[in-house]
Amino acid sequence: MAPGDENYRRLSQAYVALRKSSNAPPTPIPDAGKPIEPGKSDPRIPAIAAQLVAFDYLDKAAAGAVYTPPMVAAVKWMQADYGIDP
């Protein structure tokens, strides 16, 4: 029997959304060796935003080419969920 908690529900929804969107694996995001600063543009941002949207951490309307405050919050939320230090 599947767990009934909120994290499992979100994971399930993200999985279903990804399966519907494409059978291709997500594009790897290259490590440029330095963090992206809030308010800045970076070629990695669209791929990061797409993955945050796919996993329900970011609203699609907030995705873009700039590391905005909503995107920063989504990254921190995802990091907290995965036990990653911000």
Side-chain angles (χ1 to χ4, degrees):
M1 186 166 178
D5 67 4
E6 180 64 18
N7 284 335
Y8 186 81
R9 184 192 64 76
R10 286 183 47 245
L11 177 64
S12 245
Q13 287 178 334
Y15 174 78
V16 170
L18 283 174
R19 291 292 295 167
K20 286 180 182 178
S21 69
S22 170
N23 287 331
T27 305
I29 300 170
D31 181 0
K34 61 180 180 174
I36 303 169
E37 295 183 32
K40 301 293 181 177
S41 294
D42 187 284
R44 299 172 287 176
I45 291 175
I48 293 168
Q51 289 186 13
L52 290 169
V53 168
F55 287 101
D56 202 28
Y57 286 101
L58 182 67
D59 185 78
K60 190 173 185 172
V66 176
Y67 196 38
T68 61
M71 197 177 299
V72 172
V75 168
K76 287 181 180 180
W77 179 17
M78 183 272 313
Q79 289 171 324
D81 281 354
Y82 285 89
I84 301 169
D85 289 331

